Amino acid sequence: MKGFQKPIFTFYLLVVFSFVGYAQQLPPIVKYPSSIYNAGNQNWMISQDKHQFLFFANNDGLLEFNGTNWNLYPSPNETITRSVKVVGDRIYTGCYMEFGYWVREANNKLKYTSLSDKIKAKIIDDEQFWNILNYEQWVIFQSLNQIYIYDTKTQKFSIIPSSKGILKSFQVDNAIYFQVANDGLFEIENGKQKLISNHPILKNNKIVSIFSTDEGLLLQTQYSGFYKLIAGNVVKFATEVDSEIASSSVYSSQQLSDKGFAIGTVSNGIFVISAEGKKKYHITQNKGLSNNTALSLFEDVDKNLWIGLDNGINCINLQSPIRSFSDDTGILGTVYTSLLHNGNLYIGTNQGLFYKNVLSDASFQFISGTKGQVWSIFAHNGALFCGHDSGTFVVNTNVAQLIFSNSGTWKFETVANAPNLLLQGNYYGISVLQKVGNQWQFKNRIEGFDYSSKYFEVTSNLEVYVSHEYKGVFRFQLDKSFTTAKKIFAYNTPTKGKNASLTQFNSDIYYANKEGIFKLNNQTKRFEKDKNLSAVFEKDEYTSGKLIVDNSNKLWLFSKNYIHYFTLSKLSSQLKENIIPIPASLTNSMLGYENITQLSNANYLIGTTDGYYTINLNDLSFKNYSVSISNISVNKLDEKIVNYSVKDEGELSYDENNITFNYTVPEYNKYINAEYQFILEGLHDQWSEWSAKTSANFKNLPPGTYVFKVRAKIANSKPENVATYTFTINKPWYATNLLVFIYLLFGIIGAVYIHKTYKKYYREKEQKLIEENNLLLEIAALESNQQIMRLKNEQLSQDVDIKNKELAVSTMSLIKKNELLALIKEDLKNNTEEGSKSIKSVITTITKNISEEDTWTVFKEAFDTADNNFLKKVKQEHSSLTPNDLRLCAYLRLNLSSKEIAPLLNISVRSVEIKRYRLRKKMDLPHEKGLVEYILSF
């Protein structure tokens, strides 16, 4: 059993890789899941207004899409919205037991008005409105039970009932048709139903759509395909999809602007057929649709096909110059290289090498033996080479022969004047292939240079330039035998860089990294920055430095938001830039491995991570779209947002100075992004940089008048219009013109008042200064007099002091005299003999000379001379004082001690103390008051 395992596995791989799906290239599909538009999954009907905004009858209500933002308006009774139709400025909708219209208010939001409320009694219970048609002034609402005709001029209704049930209604040219179950097809004339045909086919098959033809009517049925109704006869109209439709159940269909048809089924996606019934596309979930059930179809003004699915919304860009091929199975893998050779399209991926006839929609076939990573495909002199992780293959249609296996091969380059030689960049250096007879074979490896050569170029004088992502750029000289690398030189500048590359364009060598694009100066052998090309990577546009030169000598570059290609100018040496506004996020290309292949003069193939897409440059034209301001929201600090009118000039209070503008271009192409530029006049002097951002926010704007302007462009197109909005932020109440005038008036009054006050103040101050000066003069005169008086007093005081001193000296002299006489007297008494009369006479004389009265008399005379007012003052103050008390006061005023006073009074010291105590009592002095201090105070 083990012996059979390998053959079985090989056969399995052969089956899997031999045929990789149906290789039909499809137009781009834009997917909008419910998580994007935040509403219900199912979408039952689609319509578009004059601004090119789209409206969807959604499970959760009316869904609006302006190209940038989605807005959901719940149905008035919170039921499923089944139908929608834009008529003029009104958006009519129908749901369960309710229909009416929406109108746009000044703030761009929609407001609902019910029409069914007027005829509530005539609506059948449990009735839903599945279709809305418009004919001249009438709007027709169709349920499964009745048709309601609303006259927009008279605002009156007429009703067409049906007992058997109305399957669907249709508008064709100037006629309104509807199908009644088992009864046939009817037309409304003069407000009444008229049978058109009750042919069995029309009675037994549900009609999905009716279209107009030159012969009559073309009817699309649910299972039986198309029929023509011509003069009452029903004739089959065969198409290439009849058999597939028969088992799919058609739910919706739409005639396209090219007279073809889009057919939506319940379980098999959609079919797009020509007017003749030829199948153009069959798009299902495994080919890019979000869901296989197409509930509604609609072609917008740009000829995009919108599909309301059972789970989401899709938009197919039928007129796009881009066609894509997606490999949802993962068998094909990421496309790294491609080439058109001998009528076959070869695709090199991380899974191997595949091919198919370029004119056929047949599946890709895997080329046996090439399983693994393919890096490049190269044609030279009729031979096809494949650079592979395993080495180098020579491919003959669907047969690959490995001719080099020593190392993986990155790329190939020809050698000037040597058609039988090829250089190939390998994982470990560069090697040579040589054609011997009719066979290509490995010749030799170039010695001396062993670095990986992912990107390299050879000049006519055999100089080789190599770009190594992690080591930078090298240059070496190749000898004429193609065996040795000499004069190897490593460049310091330009530096190495992620996703850097190197190529030869118009005989010049270019190197690109995140710092820009550099051109080799052939004289100095140095790389110099090319400002024209480097502008591609400005404004943070760099994602990859991959440079590609196609067969028509165009230089291709890829940036974050664009694909660029440069061509030689016919009138100057400067390269002409062309821009394709396809961002890297949409192309899904592998960064650093972007690849583009020229299939024909204008058709190019660009590889992606899940297949590829083609683009026709001749059909790549960009319509000028009008930009419009979709919403203006204003908020105060820490308060909720309020929507303002986009039509009228805005007048905002001073604290409503945070404002956000949302704007949009109703462009629904998957690979084309609009760019916007704005200016706020009154704040900015210049327009902003071009950006894909669809909103502008301004915070804390000061009071003033502003004009917001925004314009849009797609690729190199010129802006179609400038949307403007003028608004004023008012000053706060305390800064209004009236209050400013009042402030000014009060200011003037205040200034006048202050002026007068200051004038009065300074006048009074001047007067006061004069008075003060006069007073100062008077004071100076008084001070002068006082000085004279003080000097006189000082002189008097000095005189008094002198006299007091004299008095004190005199008193002390008396005291000394008395003391001396007293001593003599005592000595005489002690030393004299008794009975000596002469001694007694001397003693008597001495006694008379030291008498108290005599002493006091002398002292009193001297004291009265020195201070004749003292004794009088004391006597006046204390009338009870005796002469002896006054005498003691006089002695105390001279600041004599008790010991010094005792001889003057001819008493003992003890007696003096007693006299002092009695004097205090008579003067009634408090305990803390000193007697001498008190006497000296007089």
Side-chain angles (χ1 to χ4, degrees), residues 597-806:
T597 301
Q598 189 171 11
L599 301 179
S600 64
N601 184 47
N603 276 310
Y604 287 82
L605 183 149
I606 300 174
T608 67
T609 55
D610 58 354
Y612 62 86
Y613 63 92
T614 62
I615 183 169
N616 189 316
L617 297 185
N618 290 341
D619 294 338
L620 192 64
S621 60
F622 303 104
K623 173 185 174 183
N624 288 331
Y625 290 87
S626 294
V627 63
S628 61
I629 298 174
S630 57
N631 180 255
I632 300 172
S633 57
V634 176
N635 73 293
K636 298 180 181 180
L637 185 65
D638 298 328
E639 293 189 13
K640 67 178 184 179
I641 294 174
V642 177
N643 293 316
Y644 268 69
S645 170
V646 300
K647 299 177 181 178
D648 306 322
E649 290 189 4
E651 186 171 350
L652 312 175
S653 63
Y654 74 96
D655 53 353
E656 293 178 318
N657 59 349
N658 300 312
I659 184 167
T660 300
F661 295 92
N662 291 283
Y663 35 84
T664 185
V665 166
E667 163 57 49
Y668 307 106
N669 196 305
K670 179 178 182 178
Y671 292 113
I672 295 177
N673 279 353
E675 291 183 296
Y676 303 90
Q677 192 180 44
F678 65 84
I679 185 174
L680 183 62
E681 294 180 355
L683 182 68
H684 299 149
D685 296 326
Q686 296 180 338
W687 288 82
S688 66
E689 298 291 342
W690 288 104
S691 168
K693 189 178 180 182
T694 59
S695 64
N697 179 260
F698 303 96
K699 294 183 178 180
N700 299 321
L701 289 175
T705 298
Y706 301 90
V707 179
F708 176 78
K709 295 181 178 181
V710 61
R711 57 191 181 190
K713 71 168 185 175
I714 296 176
N716 294 324
S717 64
K718 294 182 179 180
E720 173 75 9
N721 70 310
V722 176
T724 62
Y725 178 77
T726 303
F727 64 99
T728 300
I729 297 178
N730 292 325
K731 298 177 182 178
W733 63 268
Y734 51 80
T736 59
N737 292 337
L738 177 60
L739 286 174
V740 169
F741 174 75
I742 294 174
Y743 296 152
L744 182 61
L745 184 61
F746 275 110
I748 294 172
I749 294 173
V752 172
Y753 172 76
I754 291 172
H755 175 70
K756 289 184 176 180
T757 303
Y758 268 98
K759 189 174 180 180
K760 179 181 178 183
Y761 168 76
Y762 283 114
R763 188 166 55 247
E764 292 176 350
K765 190 173 183 180
E766 182 182 10
Q767 185 65 33
K768 187 175 181 181
L769 286 173
I770 294 172
E771 293 176 354
E772 287 179 351
N773 288 334
N774 293 334
L775 181 61
L776 288 174
L777 292 174
E778 293 176 1
I779 291 172
L782 289 174
E783 287 179 348
S784 179
N785 293 333
Q786 288 178 350
Q787 184 69 13
I788 294 171
M789 292 295 294
R790 185 177 63 77
L791 292 174
K792 289 181 178 180
N793 289 335
E794 287 178 355
Q795 184 64 40
L796 290 173
S797 177
Q798 289 176 359
D799 293 343
V800 170
D801 289 341
I802 292 171
K803 289 182 178 182
N804 284 337
K805 287 179 180 179
E806 291 176 352

Side-chain angles (χ1 to χ4, degrees), residues 22 146 169 195 269 398 409 585 629 662 702 719 837 930:
Y22 182 58
Q146 300 184 109
S169 57
L195 180 64
N398 60 348
T409 300
S585 58
I629 298 174
N662 291 283
K837 291 182 180 179

Side-chain angles (χ1 to χ4, degrees), residues 512-548:
N513 66 5
K514 63 181 179 181
E515 296 177 354
I517 299 175
F518 300 83
K519 180 181 177 181
L520 180 68
N521 186 319
N522 293 319
Q523 275 75 38
T524 63
K525 303 300 181 184
R526 294 289 179 182
F527 284 91
E528 299 172 353
K529 192 170 186 177
D530 188 304
K531 294 182 179 180
N532 184 32
L533 293 175
S534 296
V536 168
F537 295 151
E538 292 178 353
K539 303 171 187 175
D540 197 31
E541 280 290 315
Y542 181 83
T543 56
S544 170
K546 186 66 178 287
L547 301 171
I548 300 172

